[in-house]
Structure formats: C-alpha cells, structure tokens
Amino acid sequence: VNMISVSMQGGCGCENMPNLRIDTNNVELGALMAPRPMIMIAATGDWTKDTPKAEYPATRHIYSLFGATDKVTSVQMDAGHNYNKDSREAVYSWFARHLPKKPSSKPVKEQPFEVEKPEDLRVFPDDKRPEGALDKDGIVNMLIERSKAQLEECRPVDRGILNRLRKSYEPALRHALALYAKPSVQVDLRGEEDRGGYKLTRLVIKDVSRGAQIPALLFIPNNEQGNAVLMVNRAGKLACLDRSGENPGALASYLIDKGCSVLAIDCFGIGENGAPEGARRLEPKLKFFETFNRADTAERVYDILVALEYLASGPGSKSTHLVGIGEAGLWSLLARPFSSRVSRTIVDAVGFDTSNDESYLKQLYVPCLRRAGDLSTAMALSAPGDLLIHNTQGTFDASWAKDAYAAAGKSDRLRVLEGKTSDIELARWLAIEN
C-alpha cells in the first residue's frame, strides 16, 4: 500500500537499515512475491504517482514469466499518501478474491466500526514503563550481549563446532560485506617495460559483475616459476616500490628474484582509484547511503577478490599468495575466507583493537560486521589455509584463529606474532622457492 516505488525507497531509519537495497530496489523486492497474489495500491499524491506506467508494468512482467499475470493488479487513488476507505476496500476485495476457502469476485464494502482511543492502545499507560523495564540503551546492550553469547557458542573449539560456524556465520559475513557476485575479470593493458630481470606491466583489472576498476602494477620475472603474490597496501600500489619510485621495494624484489610474479593494486578510494572531490560517497548529508551502497571497506575487500581471481586464472599459475600491509592487512583477512585461490596469507594486524567498537567504526567500518563475528569469524573461516598474522601489539585477539586451526588439526599452518615482521622475513615465510 503506497510503498513500491523507484523514486522513493523509504523515508526513515526503520525502513533503511544498511545493506538492505544493495544492487536492488523496492520494485525488485516486491516482485519477489511472484507468483503469489499481490495488489499494489498507489496514490496520485505521493511517490507511487507513476505506478500505473512504471512500477506496476515492471512487476507484471515478472509475473508473466510465471504465467501468473492474473495474480497481480494495481489500483491508484486520486489522493495523497493514505490508507483511506477506498484503498482499504480495494484490499478487502482483493483478499476476498484470493482467500482459499470462499473466493469471491464481488466487491467488499467496509463495515462500520469504532476506532479505539490511542490511550487505550498504549502498552504502558501514560507512556510509563514498569519498574525494571529496559530503556533504549538497555535494549541495545541486551541485543549486543545476546549476539556475543550466540557467537561464543560457535567458538571453534572442535571440528564439529567449526563446521557449524561455517554454516551459520560464513553467510552472515558474506552478507555484511555484500559479496553477492563472483568476479568476472577483464584486463586493459596500459603498457609494458622490459626491466632486465623482469617485465613491468601497467594495467587496469576490470570486473564485469560490479564494474570495479583496479589500477595495478604487475612484475613478471624472467625466471617465472608460476607462483604469484598479491600485495595490498593502504598506501596503494606505489608503496611496493623503493624510495626512488622506480624499482621494486625489498619485499617485491625478494619475491621477483625467487621467480614469483608480484601484483600491486590500488583498492577502492586509494591511489589512482581515489574518489574525486565532491563524490557522493563523501557527501556527509546523503541519507541512508549504506542502504544502497557498500561501505568503503567492503568495496576494498571485493577489489582484493577480483585481483586474486585475475592472478589465479593466469596461464601456468601454480599458487597464489596474499599479503596485506598496514590496514590493508585487515581487508585481506576479511577477503581470505571467500577465495579458494589463496595458498598463503600474510596479515598485518596493525595493533587493531578487536575488542573496541570504536576501532571498527574508525578503521574498519562495515555495517553488520560485528554481528557477523567480525575478524574473529574471518580468522576461523581461513582455516586450514596457511596464515601468518603479525604486528598484533597485544591488542589484536587472534584466539579464534588458534582455536579454529587446532580444531582443524592444522595448528602448524598458523603463526601469530606480536611484533612487526620484516619484509625479508615475510618473504621467506611465503617460501616461494619451495
């Protein structure tokens, strides 16, 4: 009733929770009713003013795919936003037509009734809560504690619970990150240079599914062995170079010398992929942005998955490894469970405080992430793949990783280090030469 519209999807927070309409809209959501009976009530004086020529024909087309156009109809009233008597009687008649026991095609008129007084309908007289009832903050805290308890029940202390965690929380984490489409990769080459011992290729990796475009540098050694490393840095692809800005830095040089290809990328909002000034993503007054759009962190996670798909699908590829540097270590950890392409993963934990909501809000904001188990779930779902987490600084809790790898019988594939590990040590751990 007076809701299904492409021009207005909802005007308040209760109708616009984050992630609700990513890659979709209310017309598509309404059409999911097909082939069940549905009536679309519209009005000339609100956002359903175009329903007869726009939203209804689109919905009717979906019903036609089921051979069920007789199950959907629309009625528009010459009125403002309403649920007036004419609208109600249209609904009564629609129910009468489709109720299973006594269907009827006769119009149903509204019977006289007396409206209850608002004070008689209130749960608490005079809006006063009984003693001990929770206020708004109390309800929020209750929900948080309930969510924590539910998650703790899935702490992967044995293989059975680890499997239960995968079944319950992997879809939740996937939804929080809005990972709905598998990457479909294309590449635009920007030029190649022969650098003696290796070839440098400048390229843009494109994703057909979501339209992502990822500027990248690809180093292919002359003694290439079929192994590849994706390097993701908060400072962008140029951070893989030395101070001259021309040659590979220490980590990339070591890997290239060992015959490993290296791909460095600019994730969403970074380097060449930076949002232009005034872009709507940066517009602070835009209402309900994350109802329709992915958070920056979610976009970056997807860019990592696209780049991994590109590397792993290359000819002669043997193993693909993932290295996240700086805050990009956290993005890489979130991406790791959703790529079967990765052999070894290095995560820079940057001393991230996993216990603090403010850390997530400021450094790793993704709506619903904590409800989906946040980094704890990501670590557990990474088992049994080889995983090195360093630079925890005593504030990054890796206990879920330790539990999950122990439950999988693969504790030897996990390393957790409190200090920051040198580039050379990281490269040696990747063991490309093996």
Side-chain angles (χ1 to χ4, degrees):
V1 175
N2 294 54
M3 184 63 220
I4 298 180
S5 169
V6 292
S7 63
M8 203 285 289
Q9 305 282 300
C12 69
C14 64
E15 299 172 309
N16 288 283
M17 68 175 293
N19 291 353
L20 183 60
R21 300 185 188 89
I22 291 179
D23 297 336
T24 188
N25 57 66
N26 276 0
V27 180
E28 285 190 336
L29 294 176
L32 291 174
M33 185 65 69
R36 292 166 291 172
M38 180 170 72
I39 184 171
M40 300 168 64
I41 303 294
T44 57
D46 69 9
W47 46 88
T48 56
K49 62 183 183 299
D50 294 324
T51 294
K53 60 183 180 182
E55 292 85 1
Y56 174 60
T59 304
R60 184 177 173 83
H61 171 70
I62 300 301
Y63 271 78
S64 73
L65 302 178
F66 293 87
T69 53
D70 60 320
K71 297 290 182 66
V72 62
T73 193
S74 178
V75 178
Q76 188 175 60
M77 307 301 172
D78 188 11
H81 190 60
N82 75 91
Y83 192 34
N84 61 23
K85 184 178 179 181
D86 289 341
S87 297
R88 296 196 300 270
E89 288 184 341
V91 171
Y92 303 153
S93 300
W94 181 251
F95 273 111
R97 177 180 170 187
H98 290 282
L99 287 174
K101 291 187 178 181
K102 294 183 179 181
S104 173
S105 59
K106 296 180 180 180
V108 177
K109 298 298 181 180
E110 185 171 276
Q111 300 301 308
F113 66 95
E114 183 177 344
V115 179
E116 299 289 345
K117 298 177 181 179
E119 55 267 28
D120 294 336
L121 294 174
R122 290 190 177 121
V123 175
F124 305 131
D126 300 322
D127 290 338
K128 293 181 179 178
R129 296 190 308 273
E131 185 178 353
L134 297 175
D135 60 10
K136 183 182 73 172
D137 291 340
I139 292 173
V140 170
N141 290 331
M142 178 197 69
L143 292 173
I144 290 173
E145 293 306 315
R146 181 186 294 175
S147 298
K148 287 181 178 179
Q150 185 183 43
L151 179 64
E152 192 61 31
E153 288 178 358
C154 287
R155 179 178 280 271
V157 294
D158 60 44
R159 192 180 296 270
I161 299 179
L162 177 59
N163 290 335
R164 194 171 80 206
L165 175 77
R166 293 185 188 281
K167 184 177 181 181
S168 299
Y169 279 87
E170 190 271 352
L173 186 60
R174 182 184 297 274
H175 176 68
L177 294 166
L179 299 175
Y180 304 131
K182 182 179 179 181
S184 178
V185 177
Q186 294 180 348
V187 175
D188 284 351
L189 297 179
R190 289 183 168 181
E192 297 179 345
E193 297 179 29
D194 189 341
R195 294 289 190 89
Y198 64 89
K199 179 175 68 175
L200 170 61
T201 302
R202 293 179 173 84
L203 64 154
V204 176
I205 306 168
K206 296 184 176 181
D207 167 63
V208 177
S209 300
R210 277 177 34 181
Q213 299 195 35
I214 309 165
L217 298 175
L218 176 62
F219 303 86
I220 303 177
N222 293 344
N223 62 334
E224 196 263 332
Q225 303 295 314
N227 297 303
V229 171
L230 172 61
M231 292 178 57
V232 190
N233 195 308
R234 181 64 179 87
K237 64 182 184 299
L238 297 182
C240 77
L241 303 176
D242 62 12
R243 291 183 178 181
S244 72
E246 295 291 331
N247 303 309
L251 177 56
S253 292
Y254 185 97
L255 297 174
I256 293 168
D257 288 344
K258 294 297 181 181
C260 179
S261 297
V262 174
L263 179 70
I265 63 174
D266 283 338
C267 284
F268 176 84
I270 295 170
E272 288 186 67
N273 227 349
E277 185 177 356
R280 64 190 185 94
R281 291 188 176 279
L282 305 178
E283 174 54 61
K285 296 181 181 179
L286 193 63
K287 294 178 66 176
F288 314 127
F289 182 84
E290 277 114 5
T291 301
F292 303 92
N293 302 277
R294 294 167 176 85
D296 289 359
T297 296
E299 294 281 13
R300 290 162 183 164
V301 168
Y302 188 74
D303 285 353
I304 292 170
L305 294 174
V306 172
L308 288 171
E309 187 71 18
Y310 162 71
L311 273 183
S313 60
S317 178
K318 295 179 182 178
S319 297
T320 302
H321 307 281
L322 174 60
V323 179
I325 302 168
E327 285 186 19
L330 306 177
W331 314 336
S332 299
L333 181 54
L334 290 173
R336 175 61 186 88
F338 302 103
S339 176
S340 60
R341 305 290 202 173
V342 180
S343 178
R344 290 197 155 190
T345 305
I346 293 175
V347 171
D348 185 348
V350 292
F352 183 83
D353 186 352
T354 52
S355 67
N356 191 341
D357 284 344
E358 289 299 317
S359 298
Y360 284 93
L361 288 171
K362 293 178 180 179
Q363 294 177 257
L364 202 67
Y365 175 62
V366 177
C368 308
L369 182 64
R370 300 223 72 187
R371 183 67 181 90
D374 53 66
L375 294 171
S376 296
T377 296
M379 284 185 281
L381 295 177
S382 297
D386 292 296
L387 177 64
L388 186 154
I389 303 173
H390 69 111
N391 199 19
T392 65
Q393 300 180 31
T395 52
F396 183 97
D397 181 7
S399 62
W400 274 66
K402 295 175 181 177
D403 288 341
Y405 277 78
K410 299 294 182 180
S411 294
D412 59 320
R413 293 190 176 182
L414 173 70
R415 290 186 67 186
V416 179
L417 304 171
E418 185 170 345
K420 185 173 177 61
T421 306
S422 71
D423 288 345
I424 297 301
E425 289 173 320
L426 295 177
R428 288 172 177 165
W429 181 81
L430 287 172
I432 299 300
E433 62 269 31
N434 295 333

